[in-house]
Amino acid sequence: MSVPRIVILGAGYGGLMAAKGLAKELNENEADITLVNQNGYHYITTKLHEPAAGTAHHDHARISIPSIIDSNRIKFVRDCVTGIHLDKKVVQLKNNDSLLYDYLVIGLGSVPETFGIRGLLENSYSIRNINSVRIIRQHMEYMFSRYALEKRQELITIVVGGAGFTGIEYVGELVDRMPELCHDYDIPLEKVRIINIEAAPSVLPGFDQELVDYAVKYLESKGVEFIVNTPIEECTEDGVILKGGREIKAATVVWTGGVRGNKLVEDSGIETMRGRAKVDRYLQAPGYDQIYVIGDCSLVFPDENSRPYPPTAQMSMQQGKYLGRELAKVVRGGKMEQPFEYKPKGTVASLGRKEAIGVVGDRKIIGGTAALIKKFIEIRWLFLLGGVSLVLRKGTL
Ligand code: FAD
């Protein structure tokens, strides 16, 4: 007798938690679990700003998927999803045969949101995956090496578009990297310009003002220039043009200003807002039974009158964990007992290796203490993925 087929798309924070949870809850004869991911590794997105700046090797931000899943329970397919056909219950893959499913979990993450800024996709970089951060690092280093010969300021000017969480973390990491990079390329540190541009009136919109002030003061003391309340209107081969016409010449422009859900979700016919599916209380796609959307592809509202929760690893993990537990009941012929409820545990943004700001519970934390807590959060994720042995292999304080 055939058993129900559960297919999970994406081995990110959400997909991995769902796969591991389902494998734990269900026996072999109760379900086939297949996990599809385009790479053979999971990348720790929350650490990608480090290899992008060059403060850590990119291998620190990735983990082999077969090494952290039970291959007797989860079939791992390394392939790129090219289409989701909900009417036929089929997932189209690039290299392998298509996959049939009875239950589908979509956790394919996000792509940069350009907000219609001209030239952004063509002329900027974004911190998205291992490939993209390798390119940013190498591009930046190449520009610095050219400066030694050409002495053009734009070669050592880095514009970071967006001063949200990712933008600030990346700027903090750049600040840590610059002394070494300048030493390597014989460039006086004070010549380098790191400019962080934000359309909203303040950096880190939505964050506690006292923490924002701390972050800005710290980063400014390290030479970072902030331009707020000023949208980027165009990104060109030479740099960026701001609202009002001011041009900033920069050979490296990194866009961190926002994300939208993976295009495959809206292409599948699921109703989306900025590419993200407004899921029901059980994380089901609107209008579809047995199709679940999690992580950055999903949109969850605290209540009807509020703005949606921002897309975070924390949200993705909680959704994945929830599905692991509740979907197992459905597969067994029962019902989901509890609706999904997001429990924010706090947020910590790093400002380089030794500084951070954040809120944990209702406590504000800053400086070295916050940086240490950030490391513990990363270590917790490693522990959830691969237990103590993975922490020992990959964890650093
Ligand atoms: P992801 O983790 O992005 O995983 C999606 C997976 O799907 C990837 O493995 C990808 O390769 C795969 N995939 C995509 N397309 C295909 C395809 N066509 N076929 C097959 N596989 C595919 N959040 C926090 O909570 N705390 C933080 O401190 C924090 N810091 C961040 C710092 C940075 C620099 C960035 C960029 C993000 C940060 N975030 C943070 C946000 C967080 O990383 C995301 O919200 C989270 O990764 C989303 O998880 P996910 O499971 O939806 O997708």
Side-chain angles (χ1 to χ4, degrees):
M1 203 180 82
S2 70
V3 294
R5 293 157 299 193
I6 307 174
V7 172
I8 300 161
L9 306 182
Y13 289 80
L16 272 175
M17 283 304 272
K20 286 174 87 75
L22 285 163
K24 196 169 139 209
E25 294 286 334
L26 294 166
N27 295 323
E28 232 167 290
N29 55 2
E30 289 181 301
D32 276 342
I33 304 167
T34 303
L35 176 65
V36 186
N37 198 65
Q38 61 194 352
N39 307 302
Y41 54 81
H42 160 76
Y43 45 78
I44 308 173
T45 323
T46 60
K47 279 173 79 68
L48 284 179
H49 53 294
E50 297 173 10
T55 50
H57 191 272
H58 52 264
D59 279 345
H60 287 289
R62 64 174 166 178
I63 300 160
S64 146
I65 293 169
S67 77
I68 50 168
I69 57 171
D70 176 356
S71 56
N72 294 318
R73 291 297 298 115
I74 303 169
K75 183 179 171 213
F76 174 55
V77 176
R78 180 183 169 183
D79 208 335
C80 183
V81 177
T82 52
I84 304 169
H85 306 294
L86 300 173
D87 48 343
K88 299 188 193 119
K89 296 198 156 202
V90 167
V91 172
Q92 198 70 47
L93 301 176
K94 192 170 171 199
N95 300 315
N96 292 285
D97 290 341
S98 48
L99 287 170
L100 291 166
Y101 62 82
D102 299 301
Y103 300 92
L104 183 67
V105 178
I106 306 175
L108 290 168
S110 52
V111 293
E113 169 65 277
T114 64
F115 300 105
I117 299 170
R118 290 188 300 280
L120 196 63
L121 279 184
E122 299 80 358
N123 298 309
S124 72
Y125 298 94
S126 63
I127 302 174
R128 290 269 26 103
N129 50 42
I130 296 289
N131 292 331
S132 77
V133 300
R134 272 194 296 231
I135 290 174
I136 295 175
R137 175 188 181 156
Q138 287 183 6
H139 169 81
M140 190 173 69
E141 289 184 4
Y142 178 51
M143 293 302 118
F144 274 57
S145 67
R146 279 179 55 187
Y147 179 83
L149 285 174
E150 300 174 36
K151 297 282 185 291
R152 286 189 293 123
Q153 176 60 44
E154 56 267 36
L155 293 171
I156 52 167
T157 300
I158 302 162
V159 162
V160 178
F165 210 87
T166 307
I168 286 292
E169 289 204 319
Y170 182 50
V171 163
E173 220 54 42
L174 284 174
V175 157
D176 274 10
R177 179 77 208 287
M178 282 311 132
E180 185 204 349
L181 199 58
C182 287
H183 177 263
D184 284 354
Y185 292 102
D186 308 315
I187 297 168
L189 182 60
E190 63 280 5
K191 291 231 179 263
V192 173
R193 291 185 74 194
I194 300 170
I195 307 168
N196 193 188
I197 302 171
E198 170 60 50
S202 155
V203 311
L204 286 169
F207 237 67
D208 176 272
Q209 193 56 45
E210 193 188 334
L211 298 177
V212 172
D213 291 345
Y214 182 90
V216 170
K217 200 166 158 213
Y218 170 73
L219 293 170
E220 280 182 343
S221 76
K222 299 286 177 186
V224 175
E225 300 166 50
F226 288 100
I227 300 175
V228 294
N229 224 355
T230 314
I232 293 174
E233 286 208 322
E234 189 173 351
C235 186
T236 67
E237 283 179 3
D238 299 327
V240 291
I241 299 171
L242 308 182
K243 189 172 181 196
R246 178 178 168 196
E247 182 180 14
I248 298 176
K249 291 199 176 210
T252 307
V253 178
V254 178
W255 175 246
T256 69
V259 293
R260 56 185 290 120
N262 192 309
K263 196 166 180 308
L264 286 162
V265 180
E266 57 182 300
D267 287 351
S268 74
I270 293 175
E271 193 188 320
T272 59
M273 285 164 69
R274 274 175 60 186
R276 301 169 68 198
K278 186 179 166 189
V279 290
D280 70 13
R281 294 165 71 223
Y282 301 94
L283 305 184
Q284 288 204 114
Y288 293 94
D289 277 347
Q290 301 176 356
I291 309 289
Y292 303 86
V293 188
I294 57 177
D296 287 3
C297 292
S298 71
L299 206 52
V300 177
F301 290 79
D303 55 63
E304 273 180 20
N305 302 318
S306 309
R307 289 168 60 82
Y309 287 114
T312 61
Q314 196 184 153
M315 165 65 86
S316 312
M317 283 161 67
Q318 289 188 26
Q319 290 177 316
K321 190 170 172 204
Y322 165 85
L323 267 193
R325 191 183 65 233
E326 295 294 320
L327 181 55
K329 296 176 189 164
V330 178
V331 171
R332 285 196 179 118
K335 282 204 308 198
M336 288 187 165
E337 284 159 21
Q338 304 282 334
F340 173 72
E341 198 187 332
Y342 177 53
K343 296 199 177 81
K345 301 231 162 65
T347 322
V348 187
S350 64
L351 308 170
R353 278 297 153 99
K354 298 198 173 111
E355 285 279 338
I357 50 162
V359 181
V360 176
D362 49 13
R363 261 192 72 203
K364 291 183 213 175
I365 47 171
I366 52 169
T369 314
L372 202 59
I373 289 177
K374 178 87 178 170
K375 293 284 169 212
F376 278 118
I377 295 170
E378 285 166 13
I379 285 176
R380 181 173 172 266
W381 176 235
L382 294 177
F383 181 75
L384 289 173
L385 284 183
V388 175
S389 69
L390 187 63
V391 172
L392 292 176
R393 257 192 304 134
K394 290 274 182 185
T396 46
L397 271 182

